[in-house]
Every structure is written in C-alpha cells, then in structure tokens.
Amino acid sequence: MTDNLRHLARRCLAGDQRAMLELVDRFRGQVFGLCYRMLGHREDAEDAAQETFVRALRNLRSWDPSRDFEPWLLAIAGNRCRTALARRMRRPSVCSLVEPVAEHRPDLHAARHLAEEVHLALNTLRPQYRQAFLLFHEQEMSYAAIADVLQCPIGTVRTWIHRARRELIRRLQKREVVESRHAV
Amino acid sequence: MRCEHFDVRLQQLLDHRRAPEGDPRLRRHAALCPRCHNQLTATRRLLRGIQLRELPTLDDDFAARVVQRVAPTARPQPRSAWLLVATALAATLLAAVMPQGPHAPHAITRFAPHTPPRSGNSASELAATTAHLPPNTNQPHLEQSWWTVCGTSILELYPEQARLRHRQQVSQLAEELRPIATPFNATVTVLRRTIPFGRPEPKSPPSASLVPRLAQQPSHA
C-alpha cells in the first residue's frame, strides 16, 4: 500500500496526469468528507477539497515518503477548511448550511432530524475540536495519526476530543434531542 | 461508582471505540442516576447521529478538474545526478580535445583585430611586466606576440592596469575583455555624444544605425 503510494507519488511528480487522477480518486472521499463535515456546505466543501488536492499535488515534493500520506493530505484539508471558516466569519453566507429535509416518513424524518441536530451541534464547536472529533469518530483515525494531522501532542488531541464530546452532548441535551420520542 | 468516575469511564470507552452500554458498571450507575443516564443517552444519540449523517457525492469529473488545474504547472522531475555528471564529463572531454598552444592566440585574437598602441609607453610597460615570465618552449615568438597583443589591448582600454604583474591576471582580463571591447567602445562613444562633457561633441541623438558604424572606428581610451 505504502510502496504503491510512493510509486504513485513519483509518477505524479514526473507529471503523469493519470497518476494524478488515480491519487485524487483514491482520497477524494476522505478529503471531501472531512471538508463537508467541517464546513457543513456542499459547494464550500467541494471548493476546499479541490484546493486541497491542488495544493497537495503542487507541493508533493514536501511530503516525506517515510511517513503516511493520509495525515499529510488531511492536514492540508484541515488548513483549507479553517481558512474557509475564517473567510466565512468575515463574510457571513446567506445560504443555509443544512440541506432541506424532503422526506416525510416518520423514521426517516427522525433520523434526518437527529443528523441535522448533530450537524448543527458540530458547527458550534471550535474548528480544532471539530476536526479532531471528526477525524476520530468519522475517519476512525488513531490519536497518533490525528496528532500528526493537527501537528500537536497526542494529549492535546485527547483533550480536544473529550471537550468536543462533552460540548456536543451538552448541546444535544439543551436542544432536547435526547428526549426525542422517535426511536432511531 | 460516582458521577465523576462515570464521565471518566465513559470517555475511556469511547476512546477505545467501545459501546458505553456494554459496560455493566456504567449501566448500573446510569440506572440509579438520572443525570448520568441522560448523559449516556445523549452519547448514544450523538454516535448514532454521526452514523446517520449523509455525505453528498462529488461529481464524477472532480478529479479531472483538479488535474486540469494542476497540469499546466506540472513540471517533470529535475535532471538527475547522472545527467549532470555526463554533462560535466562531456565538457571535460571537449576541453581536452580543443586545440591548444600555437592555435590559441589566433582563436582569441579573432574577436578583435589588433590595433597598434598609440604610444610606446604601454608596450614598454607590458614588456617590463612580462619580462620575468618563463618563455614558452614550443613557440616562444607566438607566445610573446600573443601576450603583447592582449596586454596592449588591456592597457589601451585601462591604462591603470599597467600595475599588473602576474601573467594569470593578464590572461583572465584579456579573455574577458577582448570580446566586449569593441561594443564597449561604441557604447562609450554613444554615451559621450549624449552626455555633454568638456570637449565639444556633435549633439545629434544616438541612433541604432550609429552603433555599427562606431564599432568599426578605432577605439579611443
């Protein structure tokens, strides 16, 4: 896997466009998933994901092949998302950050309601907490890998994730999501 | 179990990606404490909500758009070390097979024709400068003539260089100056025609056609 990735990176550095396509296709899900969860908006997430890959391919020489590629790539994605969030704070967007619920089936509605509440709760977190939480619970990365992505000690990552969980739980309790009658 | 231990235990289980409901101590405490029961329920809902969140799909041409942005700036790898070594080797071989000795003076003096010195001072100074140098055993007269030519040219352009006492310095200056001597003289003449000095000069503006004509004139120090 790692050797294959190194070979792919070498081909990308040589200007092989098919290798670039392969590299983007391999990691597009993870990068876009993180960007979408961080930004909560499809178009913004797509822009951030695209910018992530462009920067990664242009700066592929700076990747140390002795280390994992994924944390390096997700670190770029995290930086892009934080930049987008800072830009959004300067110029608030008028569009809704939550996709509208179109279905009316009770179970589906309850599930989407819960997902939306979690989504909204995540958006209230500090970007570092949110990124650490998503990398752990959604990308299922280890604390060491997250520390590599966020370039901070493992203890800091653990603290951020614990705080993120507590804040999310507090937020869900405050929104009375816990008391929902719909069994999901 | 106390409530503060409940929170610590809950975080430990989540850190190891284990379901909190599977821990009997947590279950027992949550059954007795409404606050911790609420926290356990909220944790379960949070994890469930994360699973339920849908991720929109990217367009199929996403990767192509990325590559389209990167491709114009994508550059091939820099030349590898072996290529640099081969280039250096080729340069060394070329230098080794180039004509030397009696051919060198002709190759160098080809850049600009030799102009005789206007005064005997420069030539005499050069003779004094090069008198101590060991003569070339192969072609002493050619070697002497070549050094005279180079030194005379330098002394004409830069009389202060008469202080030079080393053959290597004379050689370096000659090689560097002779190819540019003619265009340099032409440029200086054009500048002197443009900028008024003490001597009266023609006031006509410099033109491109003037430069080649001036280049053919004998140089003026």
Side-chain angles (χ1 to χ4, degrees):
Chain A
M1 172 69 181
T2 308
D3 289 340
N4 190 15
L5 202 54
R6 288 195 195 102
H7 178 64
L8 197 61
R10 274 198 298 271
R11 286 171 53 202
C12 290
L13 283 172
D16 186 344
Q17 295 191 14
R18 277 188 293 184
M20 294 181 194
L21 285 172
E22 190 178 338
L23 189 77
V24 173
D25 279 334
R26 183 182 290 193
F27 292 100
R28 57 186 272 177
Q30 285 171 280
V31 170
F32 178 66
L34 178 65
C35 293
Y36 182 73
R37 300 306 187 210
M38 286 284 290
L39 299 173
H41 189 264
R42 189 188 187 287
E43 280 73 25
D44 288 353
E46 189 169 336
D47 289 345
Q50 190 176 114
E51 194 64 27
T52 298
F53 281 112
V54 167
R55 290 192 176 222
L57 288 170
R58 284 181 181 164
N59 300 289
L60 202 52
R61 282 183 210 288
S62 62
W63 171 55
D64 180 2
S66 64
R67 307 182 71 171
D68 286 340
F69 180 78
E70 189 180 337
W72 181 77
L73 183 66
L74 292 178
I76 298 174
N79 290 337
R80 292 297 89 214
C81 290
R82 279 196 291 275
T83 303
L85 287 171
R87 196 183 302 126
R88 183 186 292 170
M89 287 186 70
R90 288 195 298 269
R91 291 183 299 174
S93 174
V94 294
C95 59
S96 171
L97 295 181
V98 182
E99 304 292 333
V101 178
E103 300 287 340
H104 295 287
R105 285 164 51 197
D107 292 347
L108 193 59
H109 177 75
R112 290 200 171 178
H113 175 69
L114 178 60
E116 283 178 18
E117 288 292 345
V118 171
H119 190 88
L120 291 171
L122 274 169
N123 284 336
T124 63
L125 292 177
R126 284 172 53 179
Q128 290 95 337
Y129 293 3
R130 191 188 319 164
Q131 189 177 359
F133 179 86
L134 290 171
L135 290 174
F136 183 82
H137 282 289
E138 207 166 64
Q139 306 280 346
E140 298 188 344
M141 293 176 70
S142 67
Y143 278 140
I146 296 171
D148 203 10
V149 170
L150 299 177
Q151 297 177 348
C152 60
I154 293 178
T156 305
V157 170
R158 183 178 286 111
T159 302
W160 285 356
I161 292 174
H162 288 187
R163 286 180 185 169
R165 281 185 201 134
R166 291 192 182 104
E167 285 190 26
L168 289 170
I169 289 169
R170 198 177 303 127
R171 161 97 185 183
L172 293 179
Q173 288 173 324
K174 189 177 176 182
R175 296 276 297 174
E176 298 182 350
V177 178
V178 180
E179 302 302 326
S180 172
R181 294 179 181 178
H182 299 293
V184 179
Chain B
M1 175 180 274
R2 296 166 66 176
C3 291
E4 55 266 30
H5 297 153
F6 179 88
D7 182 64
V8 172
R9 179 64 181 159
L10 180 63
Q11 295 291 348
Q12 285 176 348
L13 289 171
L14 293 174
D15 285 348
H16 291 91
R17 306 183 195 281
R18 289 170 57 187
E21 303 87 1
D23 190 83
R25 293 172 62 199
L26 284 187
R27 275 208 315 266
R28 279 199 298 272
H29 180 80
L32 299 173
C33 177
R35 181 174 165 274
C36 292
H37 178 267
N38 202 0
Q39 186 179 0
L40 184 63
T41 310
T43 304
R44 193 167 59 237
R45 300 278 293 173
L46 172 63
L47 299 177
R48 180 69 179 141
I50 291 169
Q51 291 175 351
L52 286 173
R53 294 198 313 155
E54 295 174 356
L55 186 68
T57 54
L58 277 170
D59 296 335
D60 291 338
D61 63 340
F62 175 79
R65 279 186 280 130
V66 169
V67 173
Q68 193 177 10
R69 282 184 62 187
V70 176
T73 59
R75 289 169 295 186
Q77 279 185 309
R79 291 177 181 178
S80 53
W82 69 266
L83 191 57
L84 295 175
V85 171
T87 306
L89 190 62
T92 306
L93 287 173
L94 186 63
V97 300
M98 279 181 69
Q100 296 178 354
H103 302 287
H106 298 295
I108 291 175
T109 53
R110 202 171 46 200
F111 283 105
H114 167 59
T115 54
R118 287 179 297 165
S119 68
N121 294 336
S122 300
S124 60
E125 284 175 356
L126 179 71
T129 302
T130 57
H132 67 286
L133 298 175
N136 190 329
T137 53
N138 296 331
Q139 300 285 342
H141 59 285
L142 279 178
E143 186 72 8
Q144 180 80 13
S145 170
W146 181 62
W147 287 112
T148 304
V149 168
C150 294
T152 304
S153 299
I154 292 168
L155 291 173
E156 281 183 357
L157 288 170
Y158 302 101
E160 65 273 15
Q161 296 297 330
R163 289 173 297 176
L164 290 174
R165 291 291 181 271
H166 298 288
R167 175 178 179 166
Q168 190 177 3
Q169 284 180 283
V170 174
S171 172
Q172 286 177 352
L173 281 168
E175 289 178 359
E176 289 173 7
L177 291 178
R178 287 191 66 82
I180 66 169
T182 303
F184 177 76
N185 289 335
T187 307
V188 167
T189 306
V190 169
L191 286 173
R192 293 182 65 183
R193 286 169 62 87
T194 309
I195 303 171
F197 288 102
R199 286 185 295 173
E201 292 282 350
K203 297 297 182 184
S204 59
S207 64
S209 61
L210 190 65
V211 176
R213 184 161 52 83
L214 289 171
Q216 310 231 341
Q217 294 178 357
S219 61
H220 300 286

